[in-house]
């Protein structure tokens, strides 16, 4: 019955017409037919308008809630964008500041502009912190081995890797890749992985070539020996 009333409510709201009890009954008959009901529904215009008012009120409340959620989401996005812009401006303003890094007891010196050149790295996030103290005489201490840090620092400066990773021993390669992961150098990691993958493919191709040559030499030697043996037999028979 509620669905029937709701249908009538929609008809009334859409058309904007005032209907009486008789007209209301005719609408229901046209839509459903009275033969479908053992007991025809008792509906009056007062009930219909109450249903209509409740329906419209619920729609308005839902609309207001949706508008509020959208406004809050837009405000949240706007605040985040402002905060990011302020942090980026802070990093850019102090870009030429000289920075001293103490990596595992070894001192390196560069500028903040160099270290924040690539976003989402260890150093970019480090210098966005308000609690970071950069005026320490001993430099910013980083508890890592300095073994490959000069290579990493040169990459920040030039975007070039001055290290032949293909010649590294397995232990050294593992240490270098661990440093790349620690400093969050995703682009450099991808570059190194690509070089190692190409090396693996070339080695596989070389093994296939050597293997095919070995099989080819054996078959030729066998065939040649067999041919030579077959040619010698008639000569021996002729001598006899």
């Amino acid at each position: 019955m509620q669905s029937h009333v709701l249908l009538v409510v929609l008809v009334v709201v859409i058309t904007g017409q005032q209907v009486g009890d008789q007209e209301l009954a005719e609408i229901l008959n046209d839509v459903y037919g009275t033969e479908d009901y053992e007991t025809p529904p008792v509906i009056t215009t007062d009930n219909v308008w109450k249903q209509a008012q409740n329906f419209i009120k619920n729609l308005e409340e839902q609309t207001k809630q949706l508008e509020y959620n959208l406004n809050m989401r837009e405000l949240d996005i706007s605040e985040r964008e402002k905060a990011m812009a302020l942090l980026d401006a802070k990093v850019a303003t102090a870009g030429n500041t000289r920075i001293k890094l103490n990596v595992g007891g070894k001192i390196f010196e560069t500028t903040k502009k160099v270290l924040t050149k690539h976003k989402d790295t260890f150093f970019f996030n480090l210098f966005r912190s308000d609690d970071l103290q950069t005026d320490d005489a001993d430099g910013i201490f980083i508890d890592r081995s300095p073994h490959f840090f000069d290579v990493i620092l040169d990459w920040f400066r030039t975007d070039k890797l001055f290290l032949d990773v293909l010649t590294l021993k397995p232990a050294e390669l593992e240490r270098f890749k661990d440093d790349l992961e620690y400093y969050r150098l995703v682009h450099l990691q991808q570059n190194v992985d690509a070089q190692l993958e190409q090396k693996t493919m070339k080695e596989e191709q070389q093994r296939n070539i050597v293997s095919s040559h070995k099989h080819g030499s054996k078959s030729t030697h066998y065939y040649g020996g067999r041919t030579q043996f077959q040619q010698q037999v008639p000569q021996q028979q002729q001598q006899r």
Side-chain angles (χ1 to χ4, degrees), residues 10-238:
L10 292 175
V11 171
V12 173
V13 171
I14 293 172
T15 59
Q17 296 178 356
Q18 296 283 346
V19 296
D21 293 343
Q22 182 63 32
E23 292 175 309
L24 186 60
E26 291 177 359
I27 292 174
L28 290 175
N29 290 338
D30 291 339
V31 176
Y32 294 102
T34 54
E35 65 276 4
D36 294 336
Y37 304 97
E38 296 179 0
T39 303
V42 179
I43 304 175
T44 64
T45 53
D46 290 338
N47 291 336
V48 169
W49 283 113
K50 287 180 180 179
Q51 291 281 350
Q53 291 174 352
N54 291 333
F55 180 72
I56 294 172
K57 183 178 179 181
N58 289 334
L59 283 179
E60 290 177 347
E61 291 178 353
Q62 292 178 8
T63 302
K64 289 180 180 179
Q65 185 63 39
L66 287 174
E67 291 177 350
Y68 174 79
N69 292 339
L70 288 174
N71 290 334
M72 291 301 296
R73 182 174 298 180
E74 291 176 357
L75 180 62
D76 186 46
I77 293 174
S78 177
E79 290 298 326
R80 288 182 183 179
E81 290 177 348
K82 289 180 180 179
M84 291 289 291
L86 288 174
L87 289 172
D88 290 343
K90 178 182 175 182
V91 170
T93 301
N96 294 325
T97 304
R98 293 176 65 178
I99 299 295
K100 186 182 295 185
L101 300 173
N102 183 344
V103 183
K106 187 174 181 180
I107 302 299
F108 297 86
E109 193 166 348
T110 183
T111 65
K112 185 179 291 187
K113 183 177 181 180
V114 168
L115 293 175
T116 57
K117 182 178 180 180
H118 297 279
K119 291 187 176 182
D120 298 326
T121 64
F122 171 85
F123 292 107
F124 185 84
N125 293 324
L126 178 68
F127 287 108
R128 292 174 68 176
S129 173
D130 293 329
D131 299 330
L132 180 65
Q133 299 295 328
T134 60
D135 55 354
D136 190 345
D138 295 329
I140 301 172
F141 180 71
I142 300 175
D143 193 15
R144 299 289 296 182
S145 170
H147 186 70
F148 289 110
F149 193 76
D150 55 342
V151 175
I152 292 173
L153 192 55
D154 280 341
W155 179 79
F156 272 99
R157 291 169 175 148
T158 65
D159 287 329
K160 296 179 181 179
L161 178 61
F162 297 105
L163 177 68
D164 188 357
V165 295
L166 304 182
T167 62
L168 294 178
K169 296 179 179 180
E172 290 181 327
L173 178 60
E174 188 65 25
R175 176 189 290 183
F176 182 59
K177 293 177 68 175
D178 189 58
D179 278 348
L180 297 185
E181 183 177 356
Y182 179 84
Y183 294 117
R184 302 178 189 174
L185 307 180
V186 177
H187 296 296
L188 190 51
Q189 280 181 304
Q190 293 173 347
N191 181 288
V192 171
D193 289 340
Q195 291 187 50
L196 295 174
E197 185 177 357
Q198 289 180 359
K199 178 184 178 183
T200 301
M201 292 176 60
K202 288 181 179 180
E203 290 176 346
E204 183 67 24
Q205 291 175 355
Q206 289 294 332
R207 284 193 294 267
N208 292 337
I209 293 173
V210 172
S211 178
S212 63
H213 279 317
K214 286 182 178 180
H215 290 298
S217 299
K218 289 182 179 180
S219 61
T220 303
H221 175 74
Y222 174 76
Y223 180 77
R226 181 179 178 184
T227 303
Q228 184 180 4
F229 175 77
Q230 289 177 346
Q231 290 175 351
Q232 289 177 353
V233 171
Q235 293 176 358
Q236 293 177 356
Q237 291 177 352
Q238 289 177 3

